[in-house]
Amino acid sequence: MSGYRFYERASRAYYSNPRLYQLLVVCSVSGGGLLAISDQNSPIRSAFADAGHADIKKKKVVVLGTGWAGTSFLKNLKDPSYDVKIVSPRNYFAFTPLLPSVTNGTVESRSIVEPIRSIVRKKKFDVDFKEAECYKIDTENRKVYCRSTKQNNLGGVEEFTVDYDYLVIAMGARSNTFNTPGVVEHAHFLKEVEDAQRIRRTVIDCFERASLPSVSEEEKKRILHFVVVGGGPTGVEFAAELHDFVNEDLAKLYPKLKEHVRITLLEAGDHILNMFDKRITVFAEEKFARDGIDVKIGSMVTKVAEKEICTKERSTGQTVSIPYGMVVWSTGIGTRPVVMDFMKQIGQTNRRVLATDEWLRVEGCDNIYALGDCATINQRKVMEDISAIFSKADKNNTGHLKVDDFKEVIKDICERYPQVEIHLKKKQLKNFLQLLKNSDANDELNIEKFKLALSEVDTQMKNLPATAQVAAQQGTYLADCFNRMELCEKNPEGPLRFRGTGRHRFRPFRYKHLGQFAPLGGEQTAAQLPGDWVSIGHSSQWLWYSVYASKQVSWRTRYLVVSDWGRRFVFGRDSSRI
């Protein structure tokens, strides 16, 4: 019993000690033993721990922007060896495809935003967020210059710099006005949550203004004329949403004003939704005609005044003035000033957006990456590397090769130059060897015949669309590269370097198109999915609901969006100005 009492007293003393986590180490030395109890918080242990971590220097990663590209990168970044700093003028991520629904109360703005701090708070590495805008990038000193976006009554504008080892530019783009006079002063844009809220207030203001007894009939028609400039997906969806809002909700609240409401959609091209299948374009134009939405094709806006918008009609060449109450401008994207200054700094002066390679690195900057709407991939042409490709296959430097000699480099060619696969599909060829055999080569190629066989390949090159889908995939891809940076440095997994030795570290980015939607109002949506599959109607609308709900960034926003849709079905849209 004495042994038991000793054990009980020792155990009680051990567990009553406030330093709970201790390590019991038993080391046997030359047949003997040594018993040592070491506290992990002891000065000696801390000293050893500090010494062990002193050599591990975390790489500083600065992310500019919290849009689709930046947020996707942050969500998928897992490597704890990075010290991440985020700089963005907004402290949230916004699900931008639902912005047209926010303009009329189908979905509330709070339902499509998620605080960026909530997204990154559970990360295993250090993440520091600063609500500010970057106004200068210094590549020589690896610094970004930032200023706060707070109002002066909170203490004035604060400026600071952030150092980086890797810089990820995901700042998105601004609306492109094409330098049209009056657009900035009088038109509404639809790029941010604040834009959608402003449009919502303006629509209600137009109806309230037109309902005043002192307003003439002619003035009511002007005030309730809503003009949408741009026949792309955003402009078309907003026009459809506005039409449903007016006819399903506002007509009940302002019954005397319904006959004065008019919606006009202006498109400078030949058709609306020209990036979609022709079947969708035709259906959309016919449906808008049935709904009373006036679609003007070939109308280029030349000026926006306070109460009228001027267009030049391509069919007649005449300039027409159209009175309006509200104009929504949705004609594409333009480059932000800070990105333009950065492009000048690195010598990309003749481009519209930042040029990157297939690994999303900014051309000329090894430690700077750009993704999303602010950048485009400058896919390398096959004909630029044709001699190097031939040399890789011609290991004996004979100058003549049989078609089968290319088997060792076929996979690398197709992976490095995606336009090759596109060309094969277009020509309905099974593989690269068949392409070479179909050329007039007689089963043997020299460099000239090889050039001839691939002469049309580069015509298949296309720029990626500026969509949320592309930006999200780029963010996921880049995060995966960062997660495996050290591993792939030792064991490269990319294609052969045709102009050098060895392989590229990573496989190049490949965009996988998952389809696109165009809501057309009246619970009808056009869907164009991979495989040339087109669906139009109510069934596609429910597919749109399910996809957009599942793509929300958190369960919180999924619940809120679905509940907003349910509220709209039961109670209608909220027509208050708030």
Side-chain angles (χ1 to χ4, degrees), residues 508-541:
F509 171 75
R510 291 292 176 264
Y511 167 61
K512 185 178 181 180
H513 185 61
L514 302 177
Q516 52 189 344
F517 293 94
L520 304 174
E523 292 301 307
Q524 296 190 65
T525 290
Q528 183 175 339
L529 303 178
D532 195 32
W533 187 70
V534 172
S535 175
I536 306 172
H538 298 286
S539 60
S540 299
Q541 179 71 22

Side-chain angles (χ1 to χ4, degrees), residues 335 343 348-355 363 376-378 463:
T335 310
M343 290 168 63
Q348 295 187 13
T349 55
N350 59 341
R351 305 193 62 89
R352 182 177 56 86
V353 290
L354 271 170
E363 291 187 344
T376 186
I377 296 176
N378 189 17
N463 290 330

Side-chain angles (χ1 to χ4, degrees), residues 168-424:
V168 178
I169 304 175
M171 305 173 69
R174 60 178 177 176
S175 297
N176 194 348
T177 66
F178 299 98
N179 296 320
T180 306
V183 173
V184 176
E185 293 81 2
H186 306 295
H188 290 72
F189 301 103
L190 192 49
K191 290 285 293 179
E192 306 287 347
V193 172
E194 294 81 4
D195 296 333
Q197 293 173 326
R198 194 177 302 112
I199 290 173
R200 181 175 174 178
R201 290 193 296 267
T202 302
V203 170
I204 300 302
D205 286 345
C206 287
F207 275 85
E208 293 294 350
R209 172 69 178 171
S211 65
L212 296 177
S214 59
V215 178
S216 65
E217 293 294 309
E218 193 67 25
E219 184 68 2
K220 287 180 181 180
K221 292 180 180 180
R222 182 192 69 81
I223 294 173
L224 296 177
H225 184 197
F226 302 97
V227 178
V228 183
V229 182
T234 302
V236 168
E237 184 176 352
F238 170 72
E241 288 272 9
L242 180 60
H243 173 267
D244 289 351
F245 186 33
V246 169
N247 288 273
E248 297 174 7
D249 300 278
L250 296 182
K252 301 174 184 177
L253 303 176
Y254 307 89
K256 296 180 180 180
L257 298 179
K258 181 181 178 180
E259 61 182 12
H260 298 304
V261 179
R262 182 182 168 197
I263 301 174
T264 299
L265 179 62
L266 303 178
E267 168 57 39
D270 296 327
H271 298 282
I272 62 174
L273 299 177
N274 54 18
M275 70 290 299
F276 282 78
D277 187 275
K278 188 177 180 180
R279 290 167 287 180
I280 294 177
T281 297
V282 172
F283 180 86
E285 292 177 351
E286 291 177 350
K287 184 182 185 303
F288 277 15
R290 292 192 301 268
D291 291 343
I293 299 175
D294 186 13
V295 178
K296 291 184 177 296
I297 302 299
S299 295
M300 185 176 67
V301 177
T302 58
K303 181 182 178 182
V304 180
E306 184 178 2
K307 295 183 179 181
E308 64 179 15
I309 183 171
C310 299
T311 65
K312 185 176 181 179
E313 303 300 317
R314 188 173 57 193
S315 58
T316 62
Q318 297 179 346
T319 299
V320 179
S321 296
I322 305 173
Y324 72 87
M326 184 184 75
V327 170
V328 174
W329 189 271
S330 177
T331 61
I333 59 174
T335 310
R336 295 188 182 276
V338 61
V339 176
M340 294 176 66
D341 292 340
F342 177 59
M343 290 168 63
K344 293 178 181 178
Q345 181 186 153
I346 61 177
Q348 295 187 13
T349 55
N350 59 341
R351 305 193 62 89
R352 182 177 56 86
V353 290
L354 271 170
T356 72
D357 61 17
E358 298 88 337
W359 295 269
L360 306 184
R361 292 176 303 189
V362 175
E363 291 187 344
C365 305
D366 290 338
N367 61 337
I368 301 180
Y369 299 80
L371 50 162
D373 292 353
C374 68
T376 186
I377 296 176
N378 189 17
Q379 177 63 48
R380 194 167 184 85
K381 296 180 179 180
V382 173
M383 298 307 292
E384 291 179 353
D385 297 335
I386 195 75
S387 299
I389 296 172
F390 190 86
S391 298
K392 285 290 183 180
D394 186 13
K395 295 181 179 179
N396 297 322
N397 296 321
T398 62
H400 290 80
L401 291 172
K402 290 186 177 182
V403 171
D404 290 344
D405 293 334
F406 284 92
K407 286 184 177 179
E408 294 185 13
V409 294
I410 285 175
K411 182 179 178 181
D412 297 295
I413 292 173
C414 293
E415 189 173 13
R416 183 69 175 82
Y417 309 95
Q419 60 266 39
V420 173
E421 289 190 2
I422 298 174
H423 183 72
L424 294 177

Side-chain angles (χ1 to χ4, degrees), residues 63-76 90 92-99 112 116 119 170-172 191 371-373 466-476 547-548 550-553:
V63 181
L64 303 180
T66 52
W68 281 93
T71 301
S72 179
F73 173 78
L74 292 167
K75 283 183 64 179
N76 291 279
R90 63 184 190 190
Y92 58 84
F93 164 77
F95 192 85
T96 51
L98 285 179
L99 283 180
I112 67 168
I116 200 67
I119 294 174
M171 305 173 69
K191 290 285 293 179
L371 50 162
D373 292 353
T467 62
Q469 189 176 162
V470 173
Q473 290 186 25
Q474 288 179 335
T476 301
V547 170
Y548 276 28
S550 64
K551 291 296 182 181
Q552 295 297 316
V553 73

Side-chain angles (χ1 to χ4, degrees), residues 458-492:
D458 289 330
T459 60
Q460 309 301 317
M461 296 173 61
K462 294 181 180 179
N463 290 330
L464 295 177
T467 62
Q469 189 176 162
V470 173
Q473 290 186 25
Q474 288 179 335
T476 301
Y477 165 82
L478 188 61
D480 182 61
C481 291
F482 271 65
N483 291 335
R484 298 182 299 112
M485 187 83 74
E486 185 175 346
L487 175 64
C488 291
E489 194 73 50
K490 299 176 182 177
N491 303 296

